[in-house]
Amino acid sequence: MELTFRDMTFEHLEEVLAIEQTSFPTPWSRYAFSYELLENEFACYIVALHGSRVVGYAGMWLILDEAHVTNVAVHPAWRGQRVGRKLMKELIRRAALLGAVRMTLEVRASNRVARNLYQSLGFVERGRRRGYYTDTREDALIMWMDPLIV
Protein backbone atom coordinates (compact mmCIF):
# COMPACT_ATOMS: atom_id res chain seq x y z
CA MET A 1 0.00 0.00 0.00
CA GLU A 2 1.56 3.25 -1.15
CA LEU A 3 0.80 6.34 0.93
CA THR A 4 1.98 9.88 0.43
CA PHE A 5 1.83 12.66 3.00
CA ARG A 6 0.96 16.26 2.21
CA ASP A 7 0.18 19.40 4.13
CA MET A 8 -3.59 19.57 4.62
CA THR A 9 -5.27 22.17 2.40
CA PHE A 10 -8.85 23.23 1.76
CA GLU A 11 -9.02 20.81 -1.15
CA HIS A 12 -8.80 17.97 1.42
CA LEU A 13 -11.42 19.39 3.77
CA GLU A 14 -14.51 17.49 2.57
CA GLU A 15 -12.79 14.11 2.93
CA VAL A 16 -11.26 15.11 6.27
CA LEU A 17 -14.66 16.16 7.61
CA ALA A 18 -16.19 12.85 6.48
CA ILE A 19 -13.47 10.92 8.34
CA GLU A 20 -13.91 13.20 11.36
CA GLN A 21 -17.67 12.50 11.45
CA THR A 22 -17.17 8.73 11.49
CA SER A 23 -14.29 8.81 13.98
CA PHE A 24 -15.38 10.94 16.93
CA PRO A 25 -18.51 11.32 19.05
CA THR A 26 -18.05 15.11 18.99
CA PRO A 27 -16.40 15.87 15.65
CA TRP A 28 -14.65 19.11 14.85
CA SER A 29 -16.56 21.49 12.62
CA ARG A 30 -15.59 22.91 9.24
CA TYR A 31 -14.97 26.19 11.05
CA ALA A 32 -12.55 24.53 13.51
CA PHE A 33 -10.47 23.03 10.70
CA SER A 34 -10.63 26.27 8.70
CA TYR A 35 -9.36 28.19 11.71
CA GLU A 36 -6.49 25.75 12.14
CA LEU A 37 -5.52 26.02 8.46
CA LEU A 38 -5.90 29.79 8.11
CA GLU A 39 -5.44 31.43 11.49
CA ASN A 40 -3.50 29.26 13.93
CA GLU A 41 0.17 30.04 13.39
CA PHE A 42 1.13 27.12 15.67
CA ALA A 43 -0.85 24.51 13.69
CA CYS A 44 0.54 21.86 11.35
CA TYR A 45 -1.88 19.42 9.70
CA ILE A 46 -1.13 16.60 7.29
CA VAL A 47 -3.13 14.14 5.23
CA ALA A 48 -2.29 10.59 4.20
CA LEU A 49 -3.19 10.03 0.56
CA HIS A 50 -3.69 6.83 -1.37
CA GLY A 51 -3.57 8.18 -4.89
CA SER A 52 -5.64 11.34 -4.54
CA ARG A 53 -7.93 9.97 -1.81
CA VAL A 54 -7.55 11.13 1.80
CA VAL A 55 -7.38 8.01 3.97
CA GLY A 56 -6.28 9.71 7.19
CA TYR A 57 -5.09 12.94 8.74
CA ALA A 58 -3.26 14.23 11.77
CA GLY A 59 -2.53 17.57 13.32
CA MET A 60 -0.37 19.20 15.95
CA TRP A 61 0.48 22.54 17.43
CA LEU A 62 4.15 23.49 17.66
CA ILE A 63 4.86 25.80 20.58
CA LEU A 64 8.51 26.52 21.33
CA ASP A 65 10.16 23.08 21.48
CA GLU A 66 6.98 21.07 22.16
CA ALA A 67 4.56 19.46 19.74
CA HIS A 68 1.00 18.85 20.95
CA VAL A 69 -0.98 16.35 18.88
CA THR A 70 -4.50 17.70 18.35
CA ASN A 71 -6.07 14.88 16.35
CA VAL A 72 -5.38 11.72 14.40
CA ALA A 73 -8.02 9.83 12.42
CA VAL A 74 -8.15 7.16 9.75
CA HIS A 75 -10.97 6.39 7.34
CA PRO A 76 -12.87 3.30 8.62
CA ALA A 77 -12.07 1.33 5.44
CA TRP A 78 -8.34 1.86 6.05
CA ARG A 79 -8.16 1.04 9.75
CA GLY A 80 -5.98 -1.89 10.72
CA GLN A 81 -3.58 -1.20 7.83
CA ARG A 82 -1.01 0.82 9.81
CA VAL A 83 -2.17 4.17 8.41
CA GLY A 84 -2.40 5.63 11.93
CA ARG A 85 1.16 4.47 12.72
CA LYS A 86 2.48 5.99 9.49
CA LEU A 87 0.64 9.25 10.15
CA MET A 88 2.10 9.47 13.65
CA LYS A 89 5.62 8.70 12.41
CA GLU A 90 5.30 11.44 9.79
CA LEU A 91 3.97 13.88 12.39
CA ILE A 92 6.90 13.04 14.70
CA ARG A 93 9.36 13.47 11.82
CA ARG A 94 7.91 16.86 10.90
CA ALA A 95 7.85 17.99 14.53
CA ALA A 96 11.54 17.17 14.89
CA LEU A 97 12.38 19.00 11.64
CA LEU A 98 10.54 22.04 12.98
CA GLY A 99 12.55 22.02 16.21
CA ALA A 100 10.37 20.07 18.65
CA VAL A 101 12.24 17.95 21.17
CA ARG A 102 9.19 16.40 22.85
CA MET A 103 5.58 15.61 21.94
CA THR A 104 2.41 15.23 23.97
CA LEU A 105 -1.18 14.17 23.39
CA GLU A 106 -4.38 13.30 25.20
CA VAL A 107 -6.22 10.07 24.49
CA ARG A 108 -9.51 8.70 25.80
CA ALA A 109 -8.83 6.27 28.62
CA SER A 110 -11.10 3.72 26.87
CA ASN A 111 -9.32 3.96 23.49
CA ARG A 112 -7.09 0.89 23.80
CA VAL A 113 -6.18 0.79 20.10
CA ALA A 114 -4.83 4.36 20.15
CA ARG A 115 -3.13 3.89 23.51
CA ASN A 116 -1.35 0.76 22.26
CA LEU A 117 -0.24 2.59 19.11
CA TYR A 118 1.16 5.54 21.06
CA GLN A 119 2.93 3.27 23.55
CA SER A 120 4.47 1.25 20.72
CA LEU A 121 5.86 4.50 19.30
CA GLY A 122 7.49 5.44 22.61
CA PHE A 123 4.84 7.57 24.32
CA VAL A 124 4.52 7.15 28.09
CA GLU A 125 1.47 7.91 30.23
CA ARG A 126 2.30 10.81 32.54
CA GLY A 127 -1.04 12.07 33.80
CA ARG A 128 -4.82 12.11 33.64
CA ARG A 129 -7.33 14.88 32.95
CA ARG A 130 -10.51 13.91 34.79
CA GLY A 131 -13.72 14.46 32.80
CA TYR A 132 -11.75 15.98 29.90
CA TYR A 133 -14.11 14.87 27.12
CA THR A 134 -17.23 16.99 27.41
CA ASP A 135 -19.44 14.60 25.43
CA THR A 136 -19.02 11.68 27.86
CA ARG A 137 -17.07 13.20 30.78
CA GLU A 138 -14.48 10.49 30.13
CA ASP A 139 -10.96 10.96 31.41
CA ALA A 140 -8.07 11.70 29.07
CA LEU A 141 -4.70 10.12 29.60
CA ILE A 142 -1.80 12.50 29.00
CA MET A 143 1.06 10.85 27.14
CA TRP A 144 4.52 12.18 26.36
CA MET A 145 7.38 11.26 24.10
CA ASP A 146 10.38 13.00 25.62
CA PRO A 147 12.73 13.13 23.82
CA LEU A 148 11.26 12.66 20.35
CA ILE A 149 12.15 9.30 18.81
CA VAL A 150 12.45 9.86 15.08
Side-chain angles (χ1 to χ4, degrees), residues 114-147:
R115 289 171 56 192
N116 289 340
L117 168 63
Y118 302 141
Q119 287 171 346
S120 75
L121 291 168
F123 284 84
V124 176
E125 184 181 330
R126 295 256 172 86
R128 179 180 288 261
R129 297 189 199 284
R130 302 233 179 257
Y132 179 78
Y133 293 99
T134 57
D135 55 353
T136 61
R137 304 302 304 154
E138 184 175 358
D139 292 355
L141 302 179
I142 306 163
M143 300 183 81
W144 282 91
M145 179 189 286
D146 183 10

Side-chain angles (χ1 to χ4, degrees), residues 5-20:
F5 298 96
R6 300 279 181 264
D7 292 338
M8 185 188 295
T9 67
F10 279 97
E11 78 179 47
H12 304 121
L13 201 50
E14 290 305 318
E15 291 175 284
V16 165
L17 287 168
I19 295 169
E20 180 78 5

